[in-house]
Amino acid sequence: MPFRLGLAALLVASVASAGDTWPQFRGPNGDGVSDAKGVPTKWGETENVRWKVPVHDKGWSSPVVWKDQVWVTTAHEKGREYYILCFDAKTGKTLHDVHLFNDADTPDVSQYNSYASPTPCVEEGCVYAHFGTHGTACLDTATGKVLWQRTDLKCYHHRAPGSSAVVYRDWLFLLFDGFDPQFLVCLDKHTGKTVWRKDRDLPYQNTGKPDRDNDFKKAFATPSVFEVNGKPQLVAPAAMGTIAYDAATGEEVWRVIHGGMNEACRPLLAHGLIFLTTGHTAGLIAVKAGQTGDLTKTGVAWRLTRAAPTRPSPLVLGDLLFLVNDTGTASCLDAKTGKEVWKESLDGKFSASPVSAEGRVYFTSENGKVFVVAADRTFQLLETNKLEPGCMASPAVVDGVIFLRTKTHLYCIGK
């Protein structure tokens, strides 16, 4: 049965190739893979840094790139103000700094999140900034003018939002998996109007303690759109399970109950398998694509029950699946069978998702170290780089450079 992967979140309507654009969380196909050439492997504060600019306030969102623009979101540390910034990709000059929303009623968040963690997405003429319950906006990329915005889509994130927006065809998909409620929505990307909305229907854990039960409902994952047998499916992870929806109508296509909460990793499709992680239970499953209904008992090809990530998304290159979990255990698995190929310990904790270019995997740690590893069946550490004061955001790789956001600055790294 043939399987075809559509652009995992953004159907690019331009001649821009995967090598010179990074339009969404995890790149052109939403899988962390770039076909850019001449990407550096070694850098430091005084080596191979083309420019470095401060980013005001706080945000863990990743940079996105379209032609000569780099966009990031940021927010007040306490969630009172929300911004989107645009920099010139060649010089680092600030092109736009747009104040989008205010919100005075926000809780404190842990060290592992910010009020600007969802990554924006950009396409020709438009950029979409999403801050979960605090607001979503579409801006003109040339002028920075707000074209439309929504502030009426509400949930209680408790520890701030994490799910990034996804553009596909004429639609913008948003996930809201908070304490309460849990739902997803499809908007018309041109107007911001609701096309469809679906409440989650999952067997959330019931401990008899309402506050604790609400905690088991949370998720922070970004969905992916996969074209399976010619039809687009929105694969949307949540607490306890993952559901695939018909992208056009919101009707359920399949589901798998895998347990867990705080799921944050983005789904991948390769070899006729959809790879999903399970959040705090630290598992990973490979679901057989092309099926319908409840796949919990019959649709899982293989599963990994330990050492999987809860925050950094996996990466598939050829027949190999690369992982790094939150505590720094990097693994390489056979993607078709789940069999372990190698496992190594890297220094530090990890929240950023790995990226790949030119046969290399870049693992970015919270302490600012980036480990460059050969995408091979044998573990080969090629370089270890370090920037202060550490990284929570995933890198963007385009046109021979890496855009890397630290906790305070945005770097353009290139030879």
Side-chain angles (χ1 to χ4, degrees):
M1 180 181 295
F3 296 92
R4 182 163 63 89
L5 170 61
L7 293 180
L10 178 64
L11 193 63
V12 179
S14 153
V15 295
S17 72
D20 59 17
T21 184
W22 195 270
Q24 56 166 325
F25 178 56
R26 307 216 70 210
N29 295 315
D31 57 7
V33 178
S34 173
D35 64 8
K37 305 300 181 183
V39 180
T41 59
K42 186 173 179 60
W43 63 84
E45 291 288 348
T46 59
E47 180 181 9
N48 284 337
V49 174
R50 293 189 179 180
W51 52 259
K52 169 187 175 182
V53 295
V55 179
H56 66 75
D57 291 289
K58 178 182 177 182
W60 300 160
S61 63
S62 301
V64 294
V65 185
W66 190 266
K67 297 182 179 178
D68 58 353
Q69 294 183 331
V70 186
W71 295 84
V72 297
T73 55
T74 191
H76 186 276
E77 186 175 10
K78 301 297 184 181
R80 295 169 187 159
E81 300 170 344
Y82 299 81
Y83 302 86
I84 187 165
L85 286 68
C86 178
F87 301 96
D88 185 287
K90 293 183 179 180
T91 66
K93 178 183 177 181
T94 301
L95 302 177
H96 304 295
D97 187 343
V98 184
H99 178 196
L100 292 171
F101 306 108
N102 293 315
D103 195 340
D105 185 20
T106 54
D108 288 336
V109 298
S110 73
Q111 61 178 319
Y112 290 116
N113 210 1
S114 73
Y115 281 99
S117 290
T119 295
C121 47
V122 62
E123 59 183 354
E124 187 66 46
C126 292
V127 62
Y128 306 89
H130 178 57
F131 300 92
T133 191
H134 310 289
T136 304
C138 172
L139 294 86
D140 182 281
T141 54
T143 65
K145 179 183 177 181
V146 175
L147 302 177
W148 59 258
Q149 61 183 26
R150 293 283 298 266
T151 56
D152 60 313
L153 299 168
K154 297 297 185 181
C155 78
Y156 178 45
H157 294 295
H158 183 57
R159 293 184 178 91
S163 302
S164 300
V166 167
V167 171
Y168 180 83
R169 296 182 181 171
D170 290 327
W171 305 314
L172 183 73
F173 299 104
L174 309 173
L175 302 190
F176 295 84
D177 288 298
F179 258 40
D180 195 41
Q182 302 83 37
F183 66 96
L184 65 163
V185 64
C186 172
L187 305 182
D188 182 315
K189 74 175 185 180
H190 304 290
T191 65
K193 294 181 178 179
T194 299
V195 177
W196 55 259
R197 172 175 168 157
K198 293 290 180 179
D199 291 331
R200 295 290 206 180
D201 176 21
L202 287 162
Y204 298 115
Q205 185 167 339
N206 185 359
T207 65
K209 299 178 180 179
D211 289 344
R212 184 61 173 158
D213 286 347
N214 285 338
D215 209 24
F216 280 110
K217 298 175 181 178
K218 297 194 318 316
F220 303 92
T222 299
S224 293
V225 178
F226 300 132
E227 291 187 7
V228 180
N229 299 327
K231 291 187 176 182
Q233 297 180 2
L234 180 73
V235 180
M240 289 304 296
T242 294
I243 302 176
Y245 303 84
D246 183 303
T249 66
E251 295 303 311
E252 183 174 320
V253 179
W254 58 263
R255 67 168 53 200
V256 60
I257 306 304
H258 47 58
M261 66 172 184
N262 291 330
E263 164 57 21
C265 298
R266 190 164 194 189
L268 292 174
L269 171 62
H271 307 294
L273 299 172
I274 296 173
F275 300 98
L276 306 168
T277 59
T278 62
H280 83 297
T281 55
L284 182 148
I285 62 175
V287 176
K288 302 170 189 175
Q291 301 183 88
T292 59
D294 191 334
L295 308 184
T296 304
K297 294 182 179 180
T298 61
V300 177
W302 59 263
R303 62 179 72 230
L304 179 71
T305 57
R306 58 188 178 87
T310 67
R311 291 188 296 275
S313 298
L315 183 73
V316 176
L317 295 170
D319 292 335
L320 300 178
L321 176 68
F322 294 91
L323 312 168
V324 63
N325 70 6
D326 306 18
T327 57
T329 299
S331 304
C332 175
L333 310 178
D334 184 293
K336 297 178 181 178
T337 66
K339 182 178 179 181
E340 183 179 297
V341 177
W342 55 254
K343 181 187 292 183
E344 296 287 337
S345 180
L346 303 179
D347 176 41
K349 296 181 179 180
F350 289 75
S351 288
S353 297
V355 297
S356 174
E358 298 184 291
R360 301 182 293 266
V361 181
Y362 294 74
F363 295 104
T364 304
S365 72
E366 293 177 16
N367 62 19
K369 288 186 178 180
V370 179
F371 301 89
V372 186
V373 175
D376 195 82
R377 289 185 170 271
T378 302
F379 178 78
Q380 302 172 55
L381 180 61
L382 305 177
E383 295 287 352
T384 301
N385 305 294
K386 177 73 184 287
L387 293 175
E388 299 291 350
C391 302
M392 305 296 285
S394 304
V397 184
V398 297
D399 199 22
V401 300
I402 300 172
F403 292 100
L404 189 62
R405 181 182 188 173
T406 68
K407 294 178 181 179
T408 58
H409 287 75
L410 177 66
Y411 288 76
C412 177
I413 299 167
K415 297 178 181 177

